Amino acid sequence: TARGVAAQAVVQVVETARQRGSRGVVVQPAQRGGGRLEAQRAAVLRALAAGEAIDVQWMKRTWGLTRKHAVPLLEWLDAIAVTRALEDVLRQDRGRLLAALIARLRNFQLAEEALQEAAASALVHWGRTGLPQSPQGWLLRVALRKAIDRIRSSARADRNAADMARL
């Protein structure tokens, strides 16, 4: 089929680039199938605006994709949604979250580091379980726990250093 030939051509181009020591291949817009990607993106946006559920059946009905091809695409769309939700929460509430952490921890640097670690954890966990009911509360709770872990780790390292100094 035409898809099989195209896929083989892509594999050959990538293998040739690897043999020549290239790390990547630049694909020009004309080689991506014209405006098909933009049409698919527009179809997803229309479906979301209409309140439709974007799932495997929708992709099969709309684009004729099999489950094998639809699932990775859905995972990618979920990852984008989680990233955007986290960006929105941090953009709107980062100052309040940081202020609450500083008030509780009495350490600005520790509060900032804990909030960053909580944001990194949110990308992983929200991607698996979906958005929590209160993303701000989730971030605050996880950041506090990360800070406590860091304080405990630091205290343990200090005790170990003191023990080693005695030897």
Side-chain angles (χ1 to χ4, degrees):
T1 65
R3 277 188 181 171
V5 172
Q8 289 174 349
V10 169
V11 170
Q12 288 174 350
V13 169
V14 170
E15 287 302 317
T16 303
R18 280 190 190 147
Q19 290 170 356
R20 291 181 182 165
S22 175
R23 290 186 173 188
V25 177
V26 177
V27 177
Q28 299 299 324
Q31 294 173 317
R32 284 191 306 206
R36 194 171 113 202
L37 185 62
E38 287 302 316
Q40 289 174 340
R41 181 179 178 274
V44 169
L45 293 176
R46 277 194 309 274
L48 289 173
E52 288 185 59
I54 306 295
D55 56 6
V56 173
Q57 286 77 26
W58 183 88
M59 290 189 170
K60 184 176 184 178
R61 187 176 61 247
T62 306
W63 299 322
L65 293 180
T66 62
R67 181 174 183 80
K68 175 184 173 183
H69 295 97
V71 169
L73 186 56
L74 287 171
E75 290 172 352
W76 179 70
L77 290 172
D78 286 345
I80 290 172
V82 166
T83 303
R84 285 186 179 165
L86 181 62
E87 286 174 354
D88 290 344
V89 169
L90 290 176
R91 188 178 325 105
Q92 294 171 2
D93 298 317
R94 185 178 187 281
R96 283 186 284 273
L97 291 168
L98 198 53
L101 288 168
I102 291 169
R104 190 90 182 263
L105 300 170
R106 306 268 189 236
N107 184 332
F108 182 83
Q109 185 175 358
L110 179 62
E112 273 191 328
E113 290 171 0
L115 185 57
Q116 287 301 317
E117 288 179 25
S121 292
L123 286 174
V124 173
H125 291 285
W126 295 0
R128 272 189 267 149
T129 61
L131 292 176
Q133 284 185 341
S134 173
Q136 299 85 352
W138 191 96
L139 284 169
L140 186 59
R141 175 58 53 204
V142 170
L144 281 170
R145 289 178 180 163
K146 297 256 183 213
I148 290 168
D149 290 346
R150 204 171 259 235
I151 290 167
R152 288 178 181 158
S153 174
S154 176
R156 190 177 325 109
D158 291 345
R159 280 194 311 271
N160 288 346
D163 290 344
M164 293 301 262
R166 278 188 249 151
L167 295 177

